[in-house]
Amino acid sequence: MKKRKVIIILLAVIFVLTGCGKKNASNTSSLVIWHDKEDAVIEVLEKHLKETVPEVEVTFEKKTGLTESLKLVGNDPSSAPDMYLFAHDKLGVYAEMGILSPLTDFISKEELNDYIPLTLSSATYKGEIYQLPLYFETLLFVYNKKYMKDDEVPKTTEELYEYMVAKTKYGHYGFVEQHSTPYYAVGWVHAFGSDYISPDGVPLFDTEEMKDALAYHKKFVSLMPGETEYATVNTLFLEGMAHTSIVGPWFVPSIKDKGIDVGFAPMPVVDETGEAISPYCGVQGVHVIKVHAEEKKEAITKVLKALMDPEIGVDLALSTGAAPSRLSSYENVDVKNNTLVMLMRQTAESAAPMPNIPELDPIFVVAGNLLTDINMSGMDIDEAAEKAQKKALELIGNMR
């Protein structure tokens, strides 16, 4: 009897081990991709991957707090995803943590020749490409055609200011934006030839270009609401109380759902510099986590190559309004006729790639405080800039 029990136990152990072995083997053709994207984007990717690489089981998992989660588990084989879909601006953080595999471990550089140069430069950190760009986003100048005709759209910031002076009354605003949010305000700074931080991580808050930009921008801020967070600005435009604004493409569906006859236009040129307001450009794409890269190299390579199909860019453009990263996607007639997508493509020519260096996180905190000090608290610009520079250097020093 005891001998029989021992045999049964041994058979059970063999069965479990055999089962585990099969499961692990099958896992090499099963990939998990974390993301934070809207359903329409994921539906396009899922459909295409199921059609082109059905032998690879790809699961997209929407992850709240994706960036912080990757910091915690990016090096843990039992918890980390195989890949993730996110903007390029965290590349430097994760590359320095050592959790990313270069894209060229799976795809040659020559295979990337068809990509818009801006998307590849955004995907590069310290000479290595860490992201396969899928699409990019940049802010847009929008206007309500109920108040502003197509031939009245301001081509320069002084024309915009004159419109603001004339129309900002009785609860209406000629122009609103998130003036004290770093991501939105930086377009004005770029037009003056500066940025919050240099490519090699030096804060630029106390430069003359920065102070000139802040002083010029404040003239426009004086004709906007004091509180200009995301909800306030968007509500004003949706309710027809703001005639023009600068918004992200993700807000366009809400505008159209509201029934607003909306127009899109190039960013106004700053009269003092001759340069257009130039927002950041964010590139969305797929990254590979290093802990699974070797054992799942074949599956990862198949998925990456499938995601390079120009038709994905076309489908994303037509279903979500995203601007494709591949040049050949723009050969599609429907994409060429899509005003929103082509405007982003045009804007990208002058937009600045959002920095992907690790120092960006503390820099954005300081920039937000600087904008609040100047635009909402009335602090002297020289004093505020000096304070911001000192704080930025301190935070970056602590981080390093």
Side-chain angles (χ1 to χ4, degrees), residues 231-352:
T232 299
V233 169
N234 292 347
T235 298
L236 285 170
F237 194 84
L238 290 176
E239 297 303 322
M241 305 306 290
H243 298 190
T244 67
S245 188
I246 290 176
V247 304
W250 49 85
F251 183 56
V252 173
S254 297
I255 297 174
K256 293 186 174 179
D257 287 346
K258 198 72 174 178
I260 295 173
D261 188 7
V262 64
F264 306 97
M267 292 289 177
V269 171
V270 174
D271 294 77
E272 292 198 7
T273 67
E275 299 293 331
I277 296 173
S278 303
Y280 277 140
C281 179
V283 180
Q284 303 286 343
V286 176
H287 314 70
V288 179
I289 299 295
K290 183 180 287 187
V291 290
H292 300 303
E294 189 58 40
E295 63 173 323
K296 298 190 177 185
K297 185 171 184 177
E298 183 179 352
I300 290 171
T301 302
K302 286 181 178 180
V303 168
L304 289 172
K305 287 181 179 292
L307 292 173
M308 294 174 67
D309 189 337
E311 284 304 308
I312 286 185
V314 172
D315 290 344
L316 286 172
L318 301 182
S319 62
T320 71
S325 294
R326 291 203 72 156
L327 289 163
S328 50
S329 297
Y330 294 89
E331 296 172 5
N332 180 278
V333 175
D334 292 328
V335 173
K336 286 181 180 179
N337 292 331
N338 188 303
T339 304
L340 173 61
V341 171
M342 295 310 294
L343 179 60
M344 274 196 288
R345 172 76 179 91
Q346 177 186 345
T347 304
E349 297 297 334
S350 60

Side-chain angles (χ1 to χ4, degrees), residues 162-180:
E162 290 175 8
Y163 184 86
M164 293 174 72
V165 171
K167 302 296 183 179
T168 303
K169 55 188 175 183
Y170 311 127
H172 280 248
Y173 295 90
F175 170 69
V176 296
E177 64 170 344
Q178 296 178 58
H179 59 64
S180 296

